[in-house]
Amino acid sequence: MTLALDDAETPGASGDRTVVGANLSLPLFRALSGTLAGHPYLKVVVDRAEHTWHLLDTRVHPFHVNYTATRILGLTLDELDADLDAFNTSVYMDPERRFLLGVLSLHTDERAEDPERPFLVLETTEADTMHGALLEEFYRYVRGRVDGRLPLLLKPANHGQEHELASVSEAVVPRILSHELFGHRTRTCLNPGEAEGRLRYFRTTKEYEAAAAELGWSDIVAMACLPDDVPRVAGFINTAPITPLSHTNVLASGWRIPNAIVRDLDTLVGQDGLDDAWVRYRVAEETITLERLAGAPVLHKPAWHQQRIRVETPLLEEAPVLALHRLRRADRDSYGTKAANLGELHHVLDSRTADLTTFYARPRPPRADLLTHLATRLGEPWASPERLRAAAVERVADTVRAPEGVALPFRLHHLFLTSSPALQQGIGKLKMALELEAFDVLDPLCLHLQHLVRGTAMPDEVARAVTGAVPGLLADGRRLVVRSSSNAEDLPGFSAAGIYDSVTTVRGTDQLMDAVRQVWASLLSPRSVRLRHQVGISLDDTYMGVIIQEYLPADLGGVLVTCNPTRREDFRNVYLNCTPGSPERVVDGTVLPQQYLYNTVEGGGRTVDIGSAGVDLPPTTRAALAELALAGRLLQSHFSQEDPDDALDVEWLMTADGTFRLVQIRPYSR
């Protein structure tokens, strides 16, 4: 369950059953509570000045702040809205505050000897900065007024509260961490949405592989963990844990289809006869349901069948191999989006002229903007707009580095393809098959072409350009990384996450040539060709640039997106995943990563899941990740040109000296 800092909203006026000063029994809790993330919950306000507490009727009072301001202090909503941030500070951050605001939620421990025995969890909002003594006071007050037969645990809402509670005995304040409470939840939202379709449940990879070719747009595919090459369908269901930042969920987000973890799918299928049945599948943060339909619904082809992604005409004329720091965003039509974005990152960090404050400058009603929050995060509370812009880019430049490397232009790919009559003939056959929609021969044609690309000799001109670009890296046998940079990836509406190849174990000239050909060949894989064709990207317009970099060993690697993937209206949080080593391990599902949410408005962060590691990261590392999250949010202002609220997807690694290097920046489809 995630609690958000209150924003003003008019409460209801009729049928209010809010209780003041009473002890809390289980029947009273149920009478007043609502449901969030599948659990009953009740908002409470402790008034330290009056030595009493208020149990809010959830249906009438959706926000603590509104109730506290209007019902206790006698303010009007207009008065509250006029100074909402200051009021929030007084109730969530003032160490001498009058009010303690929190939520009680009801849970059962399915792993306990008596799984039906309920217990209560007390927590504050994620941005609350209660110190240890206040947390202890809050817990003691509530414990003294709750039915003694109900166990009560305090859940720290953020890393700061965890630190404050470290000096408080668990015998005095029993507690539970978020990942302990929710790590075994039966159903977890990954990408919200709704779909009607036929449920295709595969218990083994072999079952899936046997049926994969026949899967279509009206199917809802369920299995333990979906493979990265899953076709475009109506919905995904995972029966084993994955992260919202996995390749398959990035695809679900880009395709705007529901995706969730449903651990009890076997039970649902058995109870309701859902296997191969037509179902209505709903995924939201609070609830996930599968409902059997009486029969096949009247389905209309989804909008993406008519969707057309526009690709600028690739520039194939004379373009040299260039170092990444010499590229700018406008070079994407010669070197690909990925290379151009990394070049743009170099420019932002080197020139320090970009305005990285526009996300915070947008109105967030009832607030005029979030600039005062940004000034606080940057340690510049009284800064002028000009100084604030300078401080923002300075903070980013102090936090992250852009990768060094070179970019091969589309021109070299074009020269390679036109050097081989066999390749030209094969491409002609593939174009004809796409034009005639002869999908039965598409896969063999693609696989044959990939084989030809990997086996065709490099023209001398191309070979000299490639080897001449990285003589220093080749001279001493250093390990290289070769990455894709197509003009048909990292586009709004078409992320192509996981579709094209990268090769991370390259040493020497021969392996470098093989890796470049492998990256070029991935542009012709059956899956990439199908997905581009579905959104109207012509094979004639599609070319592959290549990035060549020195391999950097990483102590920690991961992905962050500058939004909360399961709660799109949340403008505060950045979602960050990481694991020891390469960021590829996060997105390819090799491990379940450590997962965090960092509030880039009021500050603070919290652990969502400790993943396969089984332990949380040290506080110093988590604090460094908070700085990385803020840097990602600031870069969003520059890289999301059309709308500063458009989220970014950033791959990063942390080297042994604690330096963060960003290896990819692209739009995150919302």
Side-chain angles (χ1 to χ4, degrees), residues 300-446:
H300 302 283
K301 284 191 175 183
W304 57 263
H305 273 269
Q306 287 77 44
Q307 180 185 16
R308 289 296 177 263
I309 300 297
R310 185 170 178 267
V311 175
E312 298 292 338
T313 302
L315 302 180
L316 305 176
E317 64 268 16
E318 194 67 30
V321 177
L322 285 180
L324 287 175
H325 71 263
R326 296 182 60 188
L327 298 180
R328 293 294 302 275
R329 183 160 34 200
D331 292 314
R332 62 185 178 272
D333 298 331
S334 294
Y335 297 87
T337 312
K338 189 180 297 181
N341 281 349
L342 291 178
E344 188 72 17
L345 175 62
H346 273 281
H347 172 73
V348 169
L349 300 180
D350 294 341
S351 71
R352 304 199 178 193
T353 58
D355 182 2
L356 304 185
T357 67
T358 55
F359 173 87
Y360 289 88
R362 296 199 72 171
R364 310 285 175 180
R367 304 167 184 83
D369 54 58
L370 300 174
L371 291 173
T372 55
H373 289 284
L374 176 59
T376 300
R377 301 277 72 74
L378 297 177
E380 301 271 358
W382 311 112
S384 66
E386 294 77 14
R387 175 57 200 152
L388 194 58
R389 287 194 288 270
V393 75
E394 287 168 8
R395 177 65 66 88
V396 172
D398 289 343
T399 304
V400 303
R401 301 286 183 273
E404 301 298 331
V406 300
L408 308 184
F410 297 157
R411 180 180 67 88
L412 296 185
H413 185 207
H414 177 68
L415 288 174
F416 173 79
L417 293 176
T418 55
S419 72
S420 167
L423 279 173
Q424 289 297 294
Q425 184 180 33
I427 290 171
K429 290 180 179 179
L430 179 58
K431 290 177 183 177
M432 181 63 70
L434 289 169
E435 184 177 341
L436 299 175
E437 297 193 342
F439 297 127
D440 55 328
V441 300
L442 190 67
D443 288 12
L445 285 173
C446 289

Side-chain angles (χ1 to χ4, degrees), residues 95 132 140 149 169 212 270 288 389 475 543-544 597 634 642 649:
R140 286 179 179 272
R149 293 170 295 181
S169 168
I288 296 157
R389 287 194 288 270
Y543 279 87
M544 180 67 77
L597 277 170
L634 292 169
E642 295 185 4
D649 176 340

Side-chain angles (χ1 to χ4, degrees), residues 74-353:
L75 300 175
T76 67
L77 284 175
D78 287 342
E79 290 171 331
L80 172 62
D81 286 352
D83 210 8
L84 181 62
D85 285 330
F87 192 88
N88 277 338
T89 298
S90 73
V91 295
Y92 291 120
M93 299 168 193
D94 186 347
E96 303 299 327
R97 67 191 73 172
R98 171 180 170 180
F99 301 104
L100 306 179
L101 312 185
V103 166
L104 283 166
S105 54
L106 186 66
H107 302 260
T108 56
D109 188 350
E110 298 176 358
R111 296 167 294 164
E113 292 182 6
D114 180 8
E116 298 303 318
R117 187 187 184 201
F119 65 95
L120 289 171
V121 172
L122 175 66
E123 63 183 305
T124 71
T125 185
E126 63 191 25
D128 198 301
T129 61
M130 278 193 200
H131 53 71
L134 267 185
L135 288 165
E136 181 178 344
E137 177 186 337
F138 193 22
Y139 176 84
R140 286 179 179 272
Y141 189 97
V142 175
R143 174 69 281 176
R145 288 157 181 79
V146 169
D147 188 333
R149 293 170 295 181
L150 286 171
L152 176 66
L153 303 174
L154 180 69
K155 181 167 80 69
N158 51 52
H159 294 147
Q161 289 187 5
E162 287 183 37
H163 175 73
E164 288 290 325
L165 284 170
S167 60
V168 180
S169 168
E170 291 204 37
V172 175
V173 180
R175 69 206 66 164
I176 189 168
L177 299 179
S178 180
H179 63 83
E180 295 171 331
L181 184 62
F182 297 119
H184 297 275
R185 68 177 71 179
T186 303
R187 302 178 193 176
T188 304
C189 170
L190 295 171
N191 194 62
E194 180 176 336
E196 291 183 347
R198 185 177 56 153
L199 181 64
R200 305 294 304 277
Y201 182 20
F202 303 107
R203 277 77 171 178
T204 67
T205 302
K206 187 175 181 180
E207 284 183 11
Y208 168 81
E209 290 172 347
E214 66 186 46
L215 294 175
W217 60 268
S218 61
D219 290 321
I220 296 170
V221 180
M223 58 189 299
C225 286
L226 283 86
D228 284 352
D229 62 358
V230 63
R232 194 162 187 171
V233 291
F236 295 158
I237 300 174
N238 299 267
T239 60
I242 66 164
T243 167
L245 301 190
S246 65
H247 272 153
T248 51
N249 198 56
V250 172
L251 291 175
S253 176
W255 294 342
R256 293 177 172 82
I257 62 173
N259 188 18
I261 301 167
V262 183
R263 295 194 188 194
D264 61 340
L265 186 62
D266 268 326
T267 301
L268 292 177
V269 167
Q271 286 177 347
D272 302 329
L274 300 180
D275 207 357
D276 212 34
W278 291 94
V279 299
R280 181 176 293 112
Y281 176 37
R282 292 190 175 105
V283 175
E285 186 186 24
E286 298 82 9
T287 183
I288 296 157
T289 59
L290 275 168
E291 172 191 352
R292 178 166 182 157
L293 301 175
V298 178
L299 295 176
H300 302 283
K301 284 191 175 183
W304 57 263
H305 273 269
Q306 287 77 44
Q307 180 185 16
R308 289 296 177 263
I309 300 297
R310 185 170 178 267
V311 175
E312 298 292 338
T313 302
L315 302 180
L316 305 176
E317 64 268 16
E318 194 67 30
V321 177
L322 285 180
L324 287 175
H325 71 263
R326 296 182 60 188
L327 298 180
R328 293 294 302 275
R329 183 160 34 200
D331 292 314
R332 62 185 178 272
D333 298 331
S334 294
Y335 297 87
T337 312
K338 189 180 297 181
N341 281 349
L342 291 178
E344 188 72 17
L345 175 62
H346 273 281
H347 172 73
V348 169
L349 300 180
D350 294 341
S351 71
R352 304 199 178 193
T353 58

Side-chain angles (χ1 to χ4, degrees), residues 551-621:
Y551 172 80
L552 288 175
D555 280 6
L556 199 66
V559 181
L560 68 84
V561 293
T562 57
C563 67
N564 183 344
T566 63
R567 201 161 165 266
R568 304 303 176 88
E569 70 277 10
D570 176 7
F571 59 81
R572 291 178 165 88
N573 284 294
V574 164
Y575 192 75
L576 186 149
N577 286 190
C578 59
T579 190
S582 167
E584 280 81 7
R585 300 177 70 209
V586 170
V587 296
D588 67 11
T590 304
V591 297
L592 188 64
Q594 292 149 316
Q595 302 172 43
Y596 301 92
L597 277 170
Y598 286 100
N599 185 326
T600 58
V601 178
E602 289 86 10
R606 61 187 179 89
T607 303
V608 177
D609 198 310
I610 58 174
S612 303
V615 295
D616 207 347
L617 290 170
T620 53
T621 305

